[in-house]
Each structure stands twice: as structure tokens, then as C-alpha cells.
Amino acid sequence: MDIEKASALLAVAIEDARTSFAEGGIPIGAALFDSSGNLLGRGHNLRVQEDDAAMHAETDAFRQAGRQQSYRDKIMVTTLAPCWYCSGLIRQFRIGTVIVGESQNFRGGIDWLRENGVEVIDLANQECITMLADFIRANLALWNEDIGEQ
Amino acid sequence: MDIEKASALLAVAIEDARTSFAEGGIPIGAALFDSSGNLLGRGHNLRVQEDDAAMHAETDAFRQAGRQQSYRDKIMVTTLAPCWYCSGLIRQFRIGTVIVGESQNFRGGIDWLRENGVEVIDLANQECITMLADFIRANLALWNEDIGEQ
């Protein structure tokens, strides 16, 4: 996938990250697309908004996409490199392609995904980096809770 | 943890697996306990009941337990060895102990969890083995959908 197309898909996830921030939540967004770029589901972190520890951006987008028969040709787009939980989701359901906004604030499982045959495109997007870095600086305890770093 | 105590905790997860089966769903149940054996949350696979692809038994139990400050002293009990998705959850949130009813129908990520310092107790429980084996035989397409084997 070329960078221009990947960036267009990332814009949807960034929009969800902004929504989460506006709701007082952790600003991470995600979206699941089919191979033609049709949106199947989108979502964002819901730890604050719904006190739901199980809804990271990727799991919310996955849920919103409903039951799919196969994920091999699907594209998961997320503003931040997926944690082990969300990387496990990607591996178990064999999602073929993952576009990450950035992996500087958190590297997650992207090396493991690549080792297991997942195409990972890291866009090192400056808005994603800044939005989350600012949030972590102001909300360190909440951030640590969200990644199990207590 | 001794086998007798582990078996008593597993009984709660088995009850949830039976509930799921009675609802027409995939018969896998899970529960999260604190180190004293107090129940924090319990749940079961909700793919059929709520068309929710994100709710495996372990993720449902984790969600039902609400936001916890630390999981190191928590115990995840599940009737079946956790898949990569649920193993990733356990690793990310550093759940210290996992009790699995069985790993014969599906081995999941238990070796990976052990390599990463999680205590995994496999009870090889005959009811868990038989309940899921019978279900898979009768519902192979649904089972494959639930583990991303399409």
C-alpha cells in the first residue's frame, strides 16, 4: 500500500482519537477497512468514557465492524502501535495489514506482528505523536493504567 | 496454587460456559479473581448472543471486573486455553496467574505466556474438554470464525 492511501485511512482513526480527547478520554483511535478502503468499523479508547478496560481503540473498531468471515484482506488502522492485547487480536484473526500512526510513544507488538507475517506500515505521523505525548504528560497515571504499567 | 483451590475457581468459569451453551452460544466461560479468591468479574463468549466478535470469555470477564489498578496478583480462570487475543490481554495487563480448564481442543498462547513469566495451571478438566469438543463437532464453521480460521 502506498503512503498516500495509508495516510488517507489514518485520517479516519485520527478523527476518532480527537473525538475521544473531546470526550475526556485517552486520544487513541482506530478503524477497520476492507481491501478496497471501505470503512467496516471505527472506534476509540473507552476506558474513561465507559469505564471499559477492554475497549482499546483497536478492539472497539473490531467490535464495531461486526462479525466478519475473514480478516486476511482487512486493514486495521490505529493512531498508535498496538499493545500486546491488540497485537494478539490482529494475529489471532489474521488481519493482513496494520497501519500505525506512530510508534514513538509506545512500540507495542509491531516487531512481533512483522515476524508473524503481518504487513505493518508506520507513518510516524506528527499529529499522532504530539497528541498522545501531550496527553501522557498530563495524565501519566491514567496512561499507565491503560497499558498495565501499574 | 494447589489443584483443589484451582478447581474450585474453575467451577465458576464452567458455570459461565454452561450459561453460554444454554443461550445458544459458544460454551467457553471465564472469571477474574483476586489473590484471596474473591470474584471480580465473570463472563462468556458473546459472538452468537450479541454478534460481538470482541467478546471472548476472557475479555468479557476482564471487562466485567471493571478498572483495576494492578493485575499482577489477579487470577484469570478460563475453561479453554486463551487464544492469541486473550493471551495478549493477559500479557499486556500482567495478570500473574492463569488457570485453564483444558488445552486439548485449542492450545492457544499458553507456552508464550509461560515464557513470559505467567504461571499457567492446566487442569485438563474432562467436562471442559467434552463440552467444547461436542460443540465444535456440531458447529465447525462457527468455531472457525471465533478463532479466525476462515
Side-chain angles (χ1 to χ4, degrees), chain A residues 47 51-53 55 59 62-63 67-69 72 83-85 88-89 91-94 112 142 145-150, chain B residues 47 51-53 55 59 62-63 67-69 72 83-85 88-89 91-94 106 112 142 145-150:
Chain A
R47 177 172 296 272
D51 280 329
D52 190 339
M55 283 297 121
T59 52
F62 180 82
R63 176 178 64 169
R67 291 167 61 178
Q68 302 285 330
Q69 283 309 304
R72 289 171 202 265
C83 75
W84 285 120
Y85 172 40
L89 176 82
R91 180 168 176 188
Q92 186 64 48
F93 290 97
R94 302 173 190 233
W112 183 71
L142 175 59
E145 182 190 316
D146 198 55
I147 55 169
E149 287 283 352
Q150 305 90 338
Chain B
R47 177 172 296 271
D51 280 329
D52 190 338
M55 283 297 121
T59 52
F62 180 82
R63 176 178 64 168
R67 292 167 59 178
Q68 301 285 329
Q69 283 309 305
R72 289 171 201 266
C83 75
W84 285 119
Y85 172 40
L89 175 82
R91 180 168 175 187
Q92 187 64 47
F93 290 97
R94 303 175 188 231
F106 183 77
W112 183 71
L142 175 59
E145 181 190 317
D146 198 55
I147 56 168
E149 288 283 353
Q150 305 89 339

Short mmCIF file of all heavy atoms in Angstrom, two decimals, chain A residues 47 51-53 55 59 62-63 67-69 72 83-85 88-89 91-94 112 142 145-150, chain B residues 47 51-53 55 59 62-63 67-69 72 83-85 88-89 91-94 106 112 142 145-150:
data_model
loop_
_atom_site.label_atom_id
_atom_site.label_comp_id
_atom_site.label_asym_id
_atom_site.label_seq_id
_atom_site.Cartn_x
_atom_site.Cartn_y
_atom_site.Cartn_z
N ARG A 47 -11.80 3.66 28.03
CA ARG A 47 -11.52 3.45 29.45
C ARG A 47 -12.17 4.51 30.32
O ARG A 47 -12.83 4.19 31.33
CB ARG A 47 -10.00 3.45 29.71
CG ARG A 47 -9.62 3.32 31.19
CD ARG A 47 -8.12 3.14 31.35
NE ARG A 47 -7.68 1.90 30.73
CZ ARG A 47 -7.66 0.71 31.35
NH1 ARG A 47 -8.02 0.62 32.62
NH2 ARG A 47 -7.27 -0.37 30.71
N ASP A 51 -15.71 3.51 31.47
CA ASP A 51 -15.01 2.70 32.47
C ASP A 51 -14.77 1.29 31.94
O ASP A 51 -14.81 0.31 32.69
CB ASP A 51 -15.79 2.63 33.79
CG ASP A 51 -15.58 3.88 34.64
OD1 ASP A 51 -14.49 4.50 34.56
OD2 ASP A 51 -16.52 4.27 35.38
N ASP A 52 -14.52 1.19 30.64
CA ASP A 52 -14.38 -0.11 30.00
C ASP A 52 -12.90 -0.37 29.70
O ASP A 52 -12.34 0.16 28.75
CB ASP A 52 -15.21 -0.15 28.72
CG ASP A 52 -15.30 -1.56 28.13
OD1 ASP A 52 -14.43 -2.40 28.47
OD2 ASP A 52 -16.22 -1.82 27.36
N ALA A 53 -12.31 -1.24 30.52
CA ALA A 53 -10.88 -1.53 30.37
C ALA A 53 -10.59 -2.39 29.15
O ALA A 53 -9.45 -2.47 28.70
CB ALA A 53 -10.38 -2.25 31.63
N MET A 55 -11.91 -1.98 26.11
CA MET A 55 -12.06 -1.29 24.84
C MET A 55 -10.90 -0.33 24.57
O MET A 55 -10.98 0.87 24.87
CB MET A 55 -13.41 -0.57 24.76
CG MET A 55 -14.55 -1.53 24.49
SD MET A 55 -14.42 -2.39 22.87
CE MET A 55 -14.38 -4.12 23.39
N THR A 59 -9.80 -2.73 19.61
CA THR A 59 -10.86 -3.69 19.93
C THR A 59 -12.23 -3.07 19.71
O THR A 59 -13.17 -3.75 19.31
CB THR A 59 -10.71 -4.23 21.37
OG1 THR A 59 -10.60 -3.15 22.30
CG2 THR A 59 -9.46 -5.10 21.49
N PHE A 62 -12.80 -3.14 15.95
CA PHE A 62 -13.05 -4.54 15.59
C PHE A 62 -14.48 -4.93 15.94
O PHE A 62 -15.20 -5.54 15.14
CB PHE A 62 -12.05 -5.42 16.35
CG PHE A 62 -12.15 -6.89 16.11
CD1 PHE A 62 -11.55 -7.46 14.99
CD2 PHE A 62 -12.80 -7.72 17.01
CE1 PHE A 62 -11.61 -8.84 14.78
CE2 PHE A 62 -12.87 -9.09 16.80
CZ PHE A 62 -12.28 -9.65 15.68
N ARG A 63 -14.93 -4.56 17.13
CA ARG A 63 -16.30 -4.85 17.56
C ARG A 63 -17.32 -4.16 16.67
O ARG A 63 -18.31 -4.75 16.25
CB ARG A 63 -16.46 -4.38 19.01
CG ARG A 63 -17.87 -4.54 19.56
CD ARG A 63 -17.98 -4.11 21.01
NE ARG A 63 -17.72 -2.69 21.21
CZ ARG A 63 -17.95 -2.04 22.34
NH1 ARG A 63 -18.43 -2.68 23.38
NH2 ARG A 63 -17.68 -0.76 22.45
N ARG A 67 -19.34 -9.18 12.89
CA ARG A 67 -18.74 -10.48 12.58
C ARG A 67 -18.34 -10.53 11.12
O ARG A 67 -19.17 -10.35 10.24
CB ARG A 67 -19.73 -11.59 12.91
CG ARG A 67 -19.97 -11.75 14.39
CD ARG A 67 -21.16 -12.61 14.70
NE ARG A 67 -21.01 -13.97 14.18
CZ ARG A 67 -21.92 -14.93 14.36
NH1 ARG A 67 -23.02 -14.67 15.05
NH2 ARG A 67 -21.73 -16.13 13.86
N GLN A 68 -17.06 -10.78 10.89
CA GLN A 68 -16.53 -10.89 9.53
C GLN A 68 -16.12 -12.35 9.30
O GLN A 68 -15.62 -13.00 10.21
CB GLN A 68 -15.31 -9.98 9.34
CG GLN A 68 -15.58 -8.51 9.61
CD GLN A 68 -16.36 -7.84 8.48
OE1 GLN A 68 -16.24 -8.23 7.33
NE2 GLN A 68 -17.18 -6.85 8.83
N GLN A 69 -16.29 -12.82 8.10
CA GLN A 69 -15.92 -14.20 7.81
C GLN A 69 -14.41 -14.38 7.69
O GLN A 69 -13.87 -15.44 8.00
CB GLN A 69 -16.63 -14.70 6.56
CG GLN A 69 -18.09 -15.05 6.82
CD GLN A 69 -18.29 -15.98 8.03
OE1 GLN A 69 -17.72 -17.06 8.07
NE2 GLN A 69 -19.05 -15.54 9.01
N ARG A 72 -8.18 -11.63 6.56
CA ARG A 72 -6.88 -11.64 5.87
C ARG A 72 -6.70 -10.44 4.95
O ARG A 72 -5.60 -9.92 4.79
CB ARG A 72 -6.73 -12.93 5.06
CG ARG A 72 -6.53 -14.16 5.94
CD ARG A 72 -6.61 -15.44 5.12
NE ARG A 72 -6.93 -16.59 5.96
CZ ARG A 72 -6.04 -17.42 6.49
NH1 ARG A 72 -4.76 -17.24 6.27
NH2 ARG A 72 -6.41 -18.42 7.25
N CYS A 83 -0.80 -2.45 21.42
CA CYS A 83 -0.24 -3.14 22.59
C CYS A 83 -0.32 -4.65 22.37
O CYS A 83 -0.84 -5.13 21.36
CB CYS A 83 -1.01 -2.72 23.84
SG CYS A 83 -2.65 -3.47 23.98
N TRP A 84 0.16 -5.43 23.34
CA TRP A 84 0.11 -6.90 23.20
C TRP A 84 -1.32 -7.40 23.03
O TRP A 84 -1.58 -8.35 22.28
CB TRP A 84 0.76 -7.59 24.42
CG TRP A 84 2.24 -7.52 24.41
CD1 TRP A 84 3.03 -6.93 25.36
CD2 TRP A 84 3.14 -8.05 23.42
NE1 TRP A 84 4.36 -7.06 25.01
CE2 TRP A 84 4.44 -7.74 23.83
CE3 TRP A 84 2.96 -8.74 22.23
CZ2 TRP A 84 5.58 -8.11 23.09
CZ3 TRP A 84 4.07 -9.11 21.48
CH2 TRP A 84 5.35 -8.80 21.91
N TYR A 85 -2.22 -6.80 23.76
CA TYR A 85 -3.64 -7.19 23.69
C TYR A 85 -4.16 -7.02 22.27
O TYR A 85 -4.71 -7.96 21.66
CB TYR A 85 -4.41 -6.32 24.70
CG TYR A 85 -5.89 -6.38 24.71
CD1 TYR A 85 -6.60 -7.57 24.56
CD2 TYR A 85 -6.64 -5.21 24.95
CE1 TYR A 85 -8.00 -7.59 24.63
CE2 TYR A 85 -8.02 -5.22 25.02
CZ TYR A 85 -8.69 -6.41 24.86
OH TYR A 85 -10.06 -6.43 24.93
N GLY A 88 -2.35 -9.19 19.76
CA GLY A 88 -2.88 -10.55 19.81
C GLY A 88 -4.17 -10.67 19.00
O GLY A 88 -4.39 -11.67 18.30
N LEU A 89 -5.00 -9.65 19.09
CA LEU A 89 -6.24 -9.61 18.28
C LEU A 89 -5.90 -9.72 16.79
O LEU A 89 -6.49 -10.52 16.05
CB LEU A 89 -6.98 -8.31 18.55
CG LEU A 89 -8.25 -8.07 17.71
CD1 LEU A 89 -9.44 -8.80 18.31
CD2 LEU A 89 -8.56 -6.59 17.59
N ARG A 91 -3.16 -10.82 15.35
CA ARG A 91 -2.58 -12.12 14.99
C ARG A 91 -3.64 -13.23 14.98
O ARG A 91 -3.69 -14.04 14.05
CB ARG A 91 -1.44 -12.48 15.95
CG ARG A 91 -0.84 -13.82 15.59
CD ARG A 91 0.45 -14.10 16.31
NE ARG A 91 0.92 -15.44 15.98
CZ ARG A 91 1.93 -16.04 16.56
NH1 ARG A 91 2.63 -15.42 17.49
NH2 ARG A 91 2.28 -17.26 16.22
N GLN A 92 -4.47 -13.28 16.02
CA GLN A 92 -5.45 -14.37 16.10
C GLN A 92 -6.41 -14.35 14.91
O GLN A 92 -6.72 -15.38 14.33
CB GLN A 92 -6.25 -14.28 17.40
CG GLN A 92 -7.19 -15.47 17.61
CD GLN A 92 -6.41 -16.76 17.77
OE1 GLN A 92 -5.45 -16.83 18.54
NE2 GLN A 92 -6.81 -17.81 17.05
N PHE A 93 -6.84 -13.15 14.53
CA PHE A 93 -7.83 -13.05 13.45
C PHE A 93 -7.18 -12.82 12.08
O PHE A 93 -7.85 -12.60 11.10
CB PHE A 93 -8.88 -11.99 13.79
CG PHE A 93 -9.77 -12.45 14.92
CD1 PHE A 93 -9.52 -12.06 16.23
CD2 PHE A 93 -10.80 -13.33 14.67
CE1 PHE A 93 -10.30 -12.53 17.27
CE2 PHE A 93 -11.60 -13.80 15.71
CZ PHE A 93 -11.35 -13.41 17.02
N ARG A 94 -5.83 -12.89 12.07
CA ARG A 94 -5.07 -12.86 10.82
C ARG A 94 -5.38 -11.64 9.96
O ARG A 94 -5.55 -11.74 8.73
CB ARG A 94 -5.34 -14.15 10.03
CG ARG A 94 -4.96 -15.38 10.85
CD ARG A 94 -5.35 -16.67 10.17
NE ARG A 94 -5.19 -17.79 11.10
CZ ARG A 94 -4.49 -18.90 10.84
NH1 ARG A 94 -3.87 -19.05 9.70
NH2 ARG A 94 -4.39 -19.86 11.74
N TRP A 112 6.78 -8.13 16.63
CA TRP A 112 6.19 -9.48 16.73
C TRP A 112 5.20 -9.71 15.59
O TRP A 112 5.18 -10.79 14.98
CB TRP A 112 5.52 -9.58 18.10
CG TRP A 112 4.90 -10.88 18.49
CD1 TRP A 112 5.54 -12.05 18.81
CD2 TRP A 112 3.50 -11.14 18.67
NE1 TRP A 112 4.62 -13.00 19.18
CE2 TRP A 112 3.37 -12.47 19.11
CE3 TRP A 112 2.34 -10.36 18.54
CZ2 TRP A 112 2.14 -13.06 19.40
CZ3 TRP A 112 1.12 -10.94 18.83
CH2 TRP A 112 1.01 -12.28 19.25
N LEU A 142 -3.25 7.63 34.44
CA LEU A 142 -4.28 7.06 33.57
C LEU A 142 -3.65 6.28 32.41
O LEU A 142 -4.09 5.18 32.06
CB LEU A 142 -5.18 8.19 33.03
CG LEU A 142 -6.25 7.82 32.02
CD1 LEU A 142 -7.22 6.79 32.58
CD2 LEU A 142 -7.00 9.07 31.57
N GLU A 145 -2.29 3.05 33.64
CA GLU A 145 -3.39 2.11 33.87
C GLU A 145 -3.81 1.45 32.56
O GLU A 145 -4.07 0.24 32.50
CB GLU A 145 -4.58 2.87 34.49
CG GLU A 145 -5.76 1.96 34.81
CD GLU A 145 -7.01 2.75 35.19
OE1 GLU A 145 -6.91 3.72 35.96
OE2 GLU A 145 -8.10 2.39 34.69
N ASP A 146 -3.83 2.23 31.49
CA ASP A 146 -4.32 1.72 30.20
C ASP A 146 -3.38 0.71 29.57
O ASP A 146 -3.81 -0.09 28.73
CB ASP A 146 -4.55 2.89 29.23
CG ASP A 146 -5.46 2.47 28.08
OD1 ASP A 146 -6.57 1.98 28.37
OD2 ASP A 146 -5.06 2.61 26.92
N ILE A 147 -2.11 0.74 29.95
CA ILE A 147 -1.16 -0.23 29.38
C ILE A 147 -0.64 -1.22 30.44
O ILE A 147 0.33 -1.93 30.21
CB ILE A 147 0.03 0.47 28.67
CG1 ILE A 147 0.76 1.44 29.61
CG2 ILE A 147 -0.45 1.20 27.41
CD1 ILE A 147 2.09 1.95 29.06
N GLY A 148 -1.32 -1.25 31.59
CA GLY A 148 -0.97 -2.25 32.60
C GLY A 148 0.37 -2.02 33.27
O GLY A 148 0.99 -2.96 33.74
N GLU A 149 0.79 -0.76 33.32
CA GLU A 149 2.12 -0.45 33.89
C GLU A 149 2.02 0.03 35.34
O GLU A 149 2.73 0.93 35.74
CB GLU A 149 2.80 0.65 33.05
CG GLU A 149 3.30 0.18 31.72
CD GLU A 149 4.59 -0.64 31.81
OE1 GLU A 149 5.19 -0.71 32.90
OE2 GLU A 149 4.97 -1.20 30.77
N GLN A 150 1.13 -0.56 36.09
CA GLN A 150 0.98 -0.12 37.48
C GLN A 150 2.08 -0.71 38.35
O GLN A 150 2.43 -1.85 38.22
CB GLN A 150 -0.40 -0.52 38.03
CG GLN A 150 -1.55 -0.04 37.19
CD GLN A 150 -1.93 -1.05 36.12
OE1 GLN A 150 -1.14 -1.90 35.72
NE2 GLN A 150 -3.13 -0.94 35.60
N ARG B 47 -20.14 -14.09 20.94
CA ARG B 47 -20.20 -13.97 19.47
C ARG B 47 -21.61 -14.19 18.95
O ARG B 47 -22.12 -13.41 18.13
CB ARG B 47 -19.25 -14.96 18.81
CG ARG B 47 -19.30 -14.95 17.27
CD ARG B 47 -18.19 -15.81 16.69
NE ARG B 47 -16.89 -15.26 17.01
CZ ARG B 47 -16.24 -14.35 16.28
NH1 ARG B 47 -16.77 -13.91 15.15
NH2 ARG B 47 -15.07 -13.90 16.66
N ASP B 51 -23.66 -10.94 18.74
CA ASP B 51 -22.91 -10.72 17.49
C ASP B 51 -21.66 -9.90 17.77
O ASP B 51 -21.23 -9.08 16.95
CB ASP B 51 -23.78 -10.00 16.45
CG ASP B 51 -24.72 -10.96 15.73
OD1 ASP B 51 -24.36 -12.14 15.58
OD2 ASP B 51 -25.81 -10.52 15.35
N ASP B 52 -21.05 -10.14 18.94
CA ASP B 52 -19.89 -9.36 19.37
C ASP B 52 -18.62 -10.20 19.20
O ASP B 52 -18.35 -11.10 20.00
CB ASP B 52 -20.06 -8.92 20.82
CG ASP B 52 -19.01 -7.91 21.24
OD1 ASP B 52 -17.92 -7.86 20.60
OD2 ASP B 52 -19.25 -7.18 22.21
N ALA B 53 -17.86 -9.89 18.15
CA ALA B 53 -16.65 -10.66 17.85
C ALA B 53 -15.53 -10.37 18.84
O ALA B 53 -14.57 -11.14 18.93
CB ALA B 53 -16.18 -10.33 16.43
N MET B 55 -15.85 -10.13 22.14
CA MET B 55 -16.05 -10.67 23.48
C MET B 55 -15.84 -12.18 23.53
O MET B 55 -16.78 -12.97 23.39
CB MET B 55 -17.44 -10.28 24.02
CG MET B 55 -17.49 -8.84 24.49
SD MET B 55 -16.37 -8.50 25.91
CE MET B 55 -15.32 -7.23 25.21
N THR B 59 -12.09 -11.75 27.68
CA THR B 59 -12.25 -10.30 27.55
C THR B 59 -13.54 -9.85 28.23
O THR B 59 -13.60 -8.76 28.79
CB THR B 59 -12.18 -9.84 26.08
OG1 THR B 59 -13.10 -10.59 25.28
CG2 THR B 59 -10.78 -10.04 25.52
N PHE B 62 -12.81 -9.84 31.95
CA PHE B 62 -11.93 -8.69 32.21
C PHE B 62 -12.74 -7.40 32.24
O PHE B 62 -12.59 -6.56 33.13
CB PHE B 62 -10.88 -8.64 31.10
CG PHE B 62 -9.87 -7.53 31.20
CD1 PHE B 62 -8.77 -7.64 32.03
CD2 PHE B 62 -10.01 -6.38 30.44
CE1 PHE B 62 -7.82 -6.62 32.11
CE2 PHE B 62 -9.08 -5.35 30.51
CZ PHE B 62 -7.98 -5.48 31.35
N ARG B 63 -13.63 -7.23 31.26
CA ARG B 63 -14.50 -6.04 31.20
C ARG B 63 -15.40 -5.96 32.42
O ARG B 63 -15.56 -4.90 33.04
CB ARG B 63 -15.34 -6.10 29.92
CG ARG B 63 -16.33 -4.97 29.79
CD ARG B 63 -17.10 -5.04 28.49
NE ARG B 63 -17.93 -6.24 28.38
CZ ARG B 63 -18.86 -6.43 27.45
NH1 ARG B 63 -19.06 -5.50 26.53
NH2 ARG B 63 -19.57 -7.54 27.41
N ARG B 67 -12.31 -1.36 36.02
CA ARG B 67 -10.94 -0.87 36.00
C ARG B 67 -10.21 -1.26 37.29
O ARG B 67 -10.65 -0.93 38.37
CB ARG B 67 -10.94 0.66 35.84
CG ARG B 67 -11.43 1.11 34.48
CD ARG B 67 -11.72 2.59 34.43
NE ARG B 67 -10.57 3.41 34.74
CZ ARG B 67 -10.59 4.74 34.71
NH1 ARG B 67 -11.71 5.40 34.39
NH2 ARG B 67 -9.51 5.42 35.01
N GLN B 68 -9.11 -1.97 37.11
CA GLN B 68 -8.29 -2.39 38.25
C GLN B 68 -6.97 -1.65 38.18
O GLN B 68 -6.45 -1.40 37.09
CB GLN B 68 -8.03 -3.90 38.18
CG GLN B 68 -9.29 -4.76 38.18
CD GLN B 68 -9.94 -4.84 39.55
OE1 GLN B 68 -9.26 -4.79 40.57
NE2 GLN B 68 -11.26 -4.96 39.57
N GLN B 69 -6.42 -1.33 39.33
CA GLN B 69 -5.14 -0.62 39.34
C GLN B 69 -3.96 -1.51 39.01
O GLN B 69 -2.97 -1.07 38.44
CB GLN B 69 -4.94 0.08 40.69
CG GLN B 69 -5.76 1.34 40.82
CD GLN B 69 -5.59 2.30 39.64
OE1 GLN B 69 -4.48 2.69 39.30
NE2 GLN B 69 -6.68 2.66 38.97
N ARG B 72 -1.28 -7.86 38.66
CA ARG B 72 -0.19 -8.82 38.95
C ARG B 72 -0.62 -9.91 39.92
O ARG B 72 -0.18 -11.05 39.81
CB ARG B 72 1.01 -8.07 39.53
CG ARG B 72 1.73 -7.21 38.49
CD ARG B 72 2.78 -6.32 39.16
NE ARG B 72 3.12 -5.18 38.33
CZ ARG B 72 4.14 -5.13 37.48
NH1 ARG B 72 4.94 -6.17 37.37
NH2 ARG B 72 4.37 -4.06 36.75
N CYS B 83 -6.67 -17.84 23.44
CA CYS B 83 -6.14 -17.58 22.09
C CYS B 83 -5.11 -16.44 22.15
O CYS B 83 -4.87 -15.87 23.20
CB CYS B 83 -7.31 -17.22 21.16
SG CYS B 83 -7.95 -15.54 21.41
N TRP B 84 -4.52 -16.10 21.00
CA TRP B 84 -3.52 -15.01 20.98
C TRP B 84 -4.11 -13.70 21.48
O TRP B 84 -3.43 -12.91 22.16
CB TRP B 84 -2.97 -14.81 19.57
CG TRP B 84 -2.00 -15.86 19.16
CD1 TRP B 84 -2.12 -16.71 18.10
CD2 TRP B 84 -0.75 -16.18 19.79
NE1 TRP B 84 -1.03 -17.56 18.06
CE2 TRP B 84 -0.17 -17.26 19.07
CE3 TRP B 84 -0.07 -15.69 20.91
CZ2 TRP B 84 1.05 -17.82 19.42
CZ3 TRP B 84 1.15 -16.25 21.26
CH2 TRP B 84 1.69 -17.30 20.53
N TYR B 85 -5.34 -13.44 21.10
CA TYR B 85 -6.01 -12.20 21.53
C TYR B 85 -6.07 -12.14 23.06
O TYR B 85 -5.64 -11.15 23.68
CB TYR B 85 -7.41 -12.20 20.89
CG TYR B 85 -8.38 -11.14 21.30
CD1 TYR B 85 -8.01 -9.82 21.51
CD2 TYR B 85 -9.74 -11.47 21.42
CE1 TYR B 85 -8.96 -8.86 21.85
CE2 TYR B 85 -10.68 -10.51 21.74
CZ TYR B 85 -10.30 -9.21 21.96
OH TYR B 85 -11.24 -8.27 22.28
N GLY B 88 -2.67 -12.07 24.71
CA GLY B 88 -2.13 -10.71 24.65
C GLY B 88 -2.69 -9.84 25.76
O GLY B 88 -1.97 -9.05 26.38
N LEU B 89 -3.99 -10.01 26.03
CA LEU B 89 -4.61 -9.29 27.15
C LEU B 89 -3.90 -9.62 28.46
O LEU B 89 -3.55 -8.72 29.24
CB LEU B 89 -6.09 -9.70 27.25
CG LEU B 89 -6.87 -9.13 28.43
CD1 LEU B 89 -7.35 -7.72 28.13
CD2 LEU B 89 -8.07 -10.01 28.79
N ARG B 91 -0.90 -10.83 28.93
CA ARG B 91 0.48 -10.32 28.98
C ARG B 91 0.52 -8.81 29.16
O ARG B 91 1.29 -8.29 29.97
CB ARG B 91 1.23 -10.71 27.70
CG ARG B 91 2.65 -10.19 27.72
CD ARG B 91 3.51 -10.79 26.65
NE ARG B 91 4.83 -10.15 26.67
CZ ARG B 91 5.78 -10.34 25.77
NH1 ARG B 91 5.57 -11.18 24.76
NH2 ARG B 91 6.93 -9.73 25.85
N GLN B 92 -0.30 -8.08 28.40
CA GLN B 92 -0.26 -6.61 28.48
C GLN B 92 -0.59 -6.13 29.89
O GLN B 92 0.06 -5.22 30.41
CB GLN B 92 -1.24 -6.00 27.48
CG GLN B 92 -1.12 -4.47 27.41
CD GLN B 92 0.24 -4.03 26.89
OE1 GLN B 92 0.72 -4.55 25.89
NE2 GLN B 92 0.87 -3.08 27.57
N PHE B 93 -1.58 -6.74 30.50
CA PHE B 93 -2.02 -6.28 31.82
C PHE B 93 -1.34 -7.04 32.96
O PHE B 93 -1.68 -6.83 34.11
CB PHE B 93 -3.55 -6.30 31.91
CG PHE B 93 -4.16 -5.23 31.04
CD1 PHE B 93 -4.62 -5.52 29.77
CD2 PHE B 93 -4.20 -3.92 31.47
CE1 PHE B 93 -5.13 -4.53 28.94
CE2 PHE B 93 -4.71 -2.91 30.66
CZ PHE B 93 -5.18 -3.21 29.39
N ARG B 94 -0.38 -7.89 32.58
CA ARG B 94 0.47 -8.57 33.57
C ARG B 94 -0.32 -9.35 34.61
O ARG B 94 0.00 -9.30 35.82
CB ARG B 94 1.39 -7.54 34.25
CG ARG B 94 2.21 -6.79 33.22
CD ARG B 94 3.05 -5.69 33.84
NE ARG B 94 3.67 -4.88 32.79
CZ ARG B 94 4.96 -4.57 32.73
NH1 ARG B 94 5.77 -4.99 33.66
NH2 ARG B 94 5.44 -3.84 31.74
N PHE B 106 -7.76 -26.70 21.92
CA PHE B 106 -7.10 -25.50 21.39
C PHE B 106 -5.98 -25.14 22.35
O PHE B 106 -6.22 -24.99 23.55
CB PHE B 106 -8.15 -24.37 21.30
CG PHE B 106 -7.65 -23.09 20.72
CD1 PHE B 106 -7.47 -22.96 19.34
CD2 PHE B 106 -7.35 -22.00 21.54
CE1 PHE B 106 -7.02 -21.77 18.80
CE2 PHE B 106 -6.90 -20.82 21.00
CZ PHE B 106 -6.73 -20.69 19.62
N TRP B 112 3.70 -19.38 25.23
CA TRP B 112 4.18 -17.99 25.15
C TRP B 112 3.98 -17.27 26.49
O TRP B 112 4.86 -16.53 26.95
CB TRP B 112 3.42 -17.30 24.03
CG TRP B 112 3.77 -15.90 23.69
CD1 TRP B 112 4.90 -15.46 23.08
CD2 TRP B 112 2.94 -14.74 23.86
NE1 TRP B 112 4.82 -14.11 22.87
CE2 TRP B 112 3.63 -13.64 23.34
CE3 TRP B 112 1.66 -14.54 24.41
CZ2 TRP B 112 3.11 -12.34 23.34
CZ3 TRP B 112 1.14 -13.25 24.40
CH2 TRP B 112 1.86 -12.17 23.89
N LEU B 142 -18.81 -22.03 12.87
CA LEU B 142 -18.88 -21.02 13.93
C LEU B 142 -17.60 -21.01 14.76
O LEU B 142 -17.05 -19.96 15.09
CB LEU B 142 -20.10 -21.30 14.81
CG LEU B 142 -20.29 -20.42 16.05
CD1 LEU B 142 -20.40 -18.95 15.67
CD2 LEU B 142 -21.53 -20.88 16.81
N GLU B 145 -14.82 -19.42 12.84
CA GLU B 145 -15.00 -17.97 12.83
C GLU B 145 -14.48 -17.37 14.13
O GLU B 145 -13.83 -16.32 14.12
CB GLU B 145 -16.49 -17.65 12.65
CG GLU B 145 -16.79 -16.15 12.60
CD GLU B 145 -18.28 -15.85 12.68
OE1 GLU B 145 -19.10 -16.55 12.03
OE2 GLU B 145 -18.64 -14.91 13.42
N ASP B 146 -14.71 -18.04 15.23
CA ASP B 146 -14.34 -17.49 16.54
C ASP B 146 -12.83 -17.46 16.77
O ASP B 146 -12.35 -16.68 17.59
CB ASP B 146 -15.02 -18.28 17.67
CG ASP B 146 -15.03 -17.51 18.97
OD1 ASP B 146 -15.54 -16.37 18.96
OD2 ASP B 146 -14.53 -18.00 19.99
N ILE B 147 -12.10 -18.31 16.05
CA ILE B 147 -10.65 -18.32 16.22
C ILE B 147 -9.93 -17.82 14.96
O ILE B 147 -8.71 -17.97 14.82
CB ILE B 147 -10.10 -19.71 16.65
CG1 ILE B 147 -10.53 -20.79 15.65
CG2 ILE B 147 -10.57 -20.05 18.06
CD1 ILE B 147 -9.81 -22.11 15.85
N GLY B 148 -10.69 -17.20 14.06
CA GLY B 148 -10.05 -16.59 12.89
C GLY B 148 -9.48 -17.59 11.89
O GLY B 148 -8.56 -17.28 11.16
N GLU B 149 -10.06 -18.79 11.87
CA GLU B 149 -9.54 -19.85 10.98
C GLU B 149 -10.37 -19.96 9.69
O GLU B 149 -10.61 -21.07 9.20
CB GLU B 149 -9.55 -21.20 11.71
CG GLU B 149 -8.51 -21.34 12.78
CD GLU B 149 -7.12 -21.62 12.23
OE1 GLU B 149 -6.98 -21.84 11.03
OE2 GLU B 149 -6.17 -21.58 13.04
N GLN B 150 -10.77 -18.84 9.15
CA GLN B 150 -11.60 -18.91 7.94
C GLN B 150 -10.72 -19.13 6.71
O GLN B 150 -9.65 -18.59 6.62
CB GLN B 150 -12.40 -17.62 7.76
CG GLN B 150 -13.25 -17.27 8.96
CD GLN B 150 -12.51 -16.41 9.98
OE1 GLN B 150 -11.28 -16.37 10.01
NE2 GLN B 150 -13.26 -15.71 10.78
#
